[in-house]
Amino acid sequence: MRAIVVSTPGDSSVLEYVERPDPAPGPGEVLVQVAASGVNFIDVYHRQGRYPLPLPFVPGSEGAGTVIATGEGVTDLVVGDAVGWANALGGYATRAVIPADLAVPLPRGLSPELAAAVLLQGLTAHYLTHSVYAVRPGDDVLVHAAAGGVGLLLTQMAKLLGARVIGTVSSEAKEKLAREAGADEVLRYENFSEAVREITGAGVHVVYDGVGASTFDGSLASLRPRGMMALYGAASGPVPPFDPQRLNVGGSLFLTRPTLGHYVATREELLGRAGELLGWVASGALKVHITGRYPLAEARRAHDDLEARRTTGKLLLIP
């Protein structure tokens, strides 16, 4: 098989396209012929060593394809099943061994590309809007990078739940995408907290911030008293240490740094979230924007485009 391998942390040049022996599934695992792999910032963090992994490793936390072999003890999946996964390494390859308890059966008729494009970011948007802060009708919600993969899904989900959504973007083209996803107001990043205050008066109920260092202070300043700051990523870099007393001064604010794994901690929870998410996609209630398809061998270019914020929506690697 062919795969992308990281042997040392670094920039995109450490992504090597190599030939490897075909893997075999162990107990509780399935072997999948990969149809598409999602490209996400978590892959960048793994490559950089920001979230260290044993070396060497095959990156890619999200994908979809067809089961071609099952390991001992796997009873609910069989050869020929179409499955997708998120939060399991190894997707940047033509074949991947996936823990069976992380493999999600796909609804009949849903393309593997759509599944690979939506599972990781869609599950993230789902737990953020349904569990970290359960959005209610009439809430004011601030979504950073509203034209990005997660941002577009967060915007749509928050609107489905009845919120008023304020999005931040960096260009007119991205503003158009955010508005098409349902954003009520779209701002540039400069002085966004002041604009949020002008729009809402008291501030927003929740900020969903995957940008990190460059937006952190403004995000806190955008919250109403007892508002929630959900810092779920760090696209602009990690947030420096700060004094928790700022949360008191800001109005008894809440700050959380959640991660997907803690919100799909059981197979029941994973299948529940994934079932609702994929059902929305299959019905057309949730639109998935695939804006870049790259051959597997061009993973470096995909990472460069993602990090430079030259993209909107979802990027895929196609084996």
Side-chain angles (χ1 to χ4, degrees):
M1 72 169 197
R2 304 293 292 184
I4 300 295
V5 174
V6 174
S7 298
T8 185
D11 62 20
S12 65
S13 67
V14 305
L15 296 170
E16 299 179 276
Y17 183 59
V18 302
E19 189 166 344
R20 303 187 105 197
D22 283 345
E29 296 176 332
V30 295
L31 177 63
V32 179
Q33 186 73 36
V34 180
S37 302
V39 179
N40 299 285
F41 269 104
I42 187 69
D43 307 336
V44 174
Y45 304 153
H46 287 155
R47 187 205 76 215
Q48 293 171 335
R50 190 182 300 181
Y51 299 167
L53 295 171
L55 298 167
F57 67 89
V58 176
S61 299
E62 172 186 47
T66 303
V67 175
I68 56 174
T70 60
E72 181 183 352
V74 176
T75 58
D76 59 343
L77 296 171
V78 299
V79 171
D81 281 351
V83 297
W85 65 91
N87 228 28
L89 273 177
Y92 286 16
T94 54
R95 293 183 172 186
V97 172
I98 303 298
D101 61 356
L102 297 182
V104 175
L106 302 186
R108 186 178 300 276
L110 184 70
S111 77
E113 282 196 8
L114 275 177
V118 77
L119 270 170
L120 184 59
Q121 294 177 333
L123 289 171
T124 298
H126 191 283
Y127 86 75
L128 287 171
T129 56
H130 288 70
S131 298
V132 170
Y133 177 89
V135 175
R136 300 159 299 187
D139 279 353
D140 285 322
V141 172
L142 176 59
V143 176
H144 285 307
V150 177
L152 289 169
L153 296 169
L154 278 169
T155 297
Q156 291 179 78
M157 287 189 195
K159 292 302 297 180
L160 286 172
L161 293 167
R164 176 169 65 168
V165 176
I166 303 168
T168 57
V169 299
S170 60
S171 69
E172 286 187 16
K174 291 183 177 182
E175 177 177 345
K176 183 174 183 292
L177 284 172
R179 290 193 184 278
E180 288 173 352
D184 299 281
E185 305 285 348
V186 182
L187 310 173
R188 299 297 186 269
Y189 289 100
E190 185 177 1
N191 299 323
F192 70 83
S193 62
E194 297 175 12
V196 167
R197 289 285 178 177
E198 290 178 5
I199 293 167
T200 63
V204 296
H205 294 82
V206 61
V207 180
Y208 296 119
D209 190 339
V211 177
S214 66
T215 52
F216 182 76
D217 289 337
S219 292
L220 288 180
S222 298
L223 288 167
R224 67 176 55 209
R226 290 162 48 182
M228 168 69 77
M229 164 79 155
L231 181 69
Y232 68 91
S236 68
V239 174
F242 85 109
D243 183 357
Q245 176 63 14
R246 290 178 58 188
L247 303 178
N248 173 23
V249 173
S252 297
L253 305 177
F254 294 88
L255 169 65
T256 182
R257 179 57 178 91
T259 193
L260 174 60
H262 297 140
Y263 287 87
V264 288
T266 66
R267 182 152 179 81
E268 180 182 16
E269 189 172 26
L270 170 63
L271 293 180
R273 292 193 193 280
E276 189 165 27
L277 170 68
L278 295 176
W280 288 335
V281 175
S283 71
L286 196 68
K287 306 296 184 185
V288 181
H289 296 265
I290 302 173
T291 55
R293 292 174 173 84
Y294 302 74
L296 179 62
E298 296 183 19
R300 291 178 181 178
R301 183 165 66 91
H303 274 224
D304 288 342
D305 288 348
L306 183 67
E307 290 179 86
R309 301 179 73 177
R310 289 192 287 264
T311 65
T312 59
K314 186 67 179 191
L315 307 184
L316 295 178
L317 294 179
I318 309 297

